[in-house]
C-alpha cells in the first residue's frame, strides 16, 4: 500500500518494484522504488533500479545503480520533479 512503510531486511532479496510511503533498504532490491515520503538506503543495502521520492538518504557503503528523481507530492500525485 502507498500508505505503508516497507523494510527490506539485511537478508532480504526482492526482484520487483516497490511503491509505499517510506522504504528502508538493508538487503537487495532489483526493481524501481517509489516512495511518497522517503527512501532510506542503508550501508548494507543494494538497489539496482530507479528511485522516485520526496526525500532520499543513502549511507556510505550502500550500492545504488539507477536514476534518482526527487519530487514534491500533493496527495498521491507528483507535482514537481527536480
Amino acid at each position: 500500500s502507498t500508505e505503508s512503510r516497507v523494510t527490506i531486511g539485511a537478508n532480504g532479496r526482492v526482484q520487483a518494484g516497490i511503491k509505499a510511503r517510506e522504504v528502508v533498504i538493508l538487503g537487495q532490491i532489483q526493481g524501481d522504488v517509489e516512495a511518497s515520503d522517503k527512501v532510506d538506503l542503508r550501508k548494507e543495502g543494494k538497489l539496482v533500479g530507479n528511485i522516485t521520492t520526496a526525500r532520499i538518504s543513502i549511507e556510505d557503503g550502500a550500492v545504488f545503480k539507477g536514476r534518482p528523481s526527487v519530487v514534491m507530492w500533493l496527495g498521491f500525485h507528483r507535482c514537481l520533479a527536480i
Side-chain angles (χ1 to χ4, degrees):
S1 161
T2 56
E3 294 289 316
S4 302
R5 176 181 176 176
V6 174
T7 300
I8 308 303
N11 295 318
R13 306 286 182 266
V14 175
Q15 290 187 336
I18 296 176
K19 190 180 281 192
R21 178 182 53 81
E22 183 177 350
V23 180
V24 179
I25 305 164
L26 294 99
Q28 296 183 18
I29 297 177
Q30 185 171 349
D32 294 342
V33 175
E34 186 172 326
S36 58
D37 184 30
K38 182 179 181 183
V39 173
D40 187 4
L41 184 55
R42 303 283 175 88
K43 64 182 177 182
E44 308 89 352
K46 178 180 180 180
L47 171 61
V48 178
N50 299 319
I51 295 174
T52 303
T53 187
R55 298 184 300 149
I56 186 170
S57 171
I58 301 175
E59 290 185 352
D60 285 345
V63 176
F64 173 49
K65 294 181 182 178
R67 186 190 52 153
S69 295
V70 178
V71 296
M72 186 182 290
W73 296 82
L74 286 176
F76 294 105
H77 303 283
R78 286 181 252 185
C79 66
L80 175 66
I82 300 173

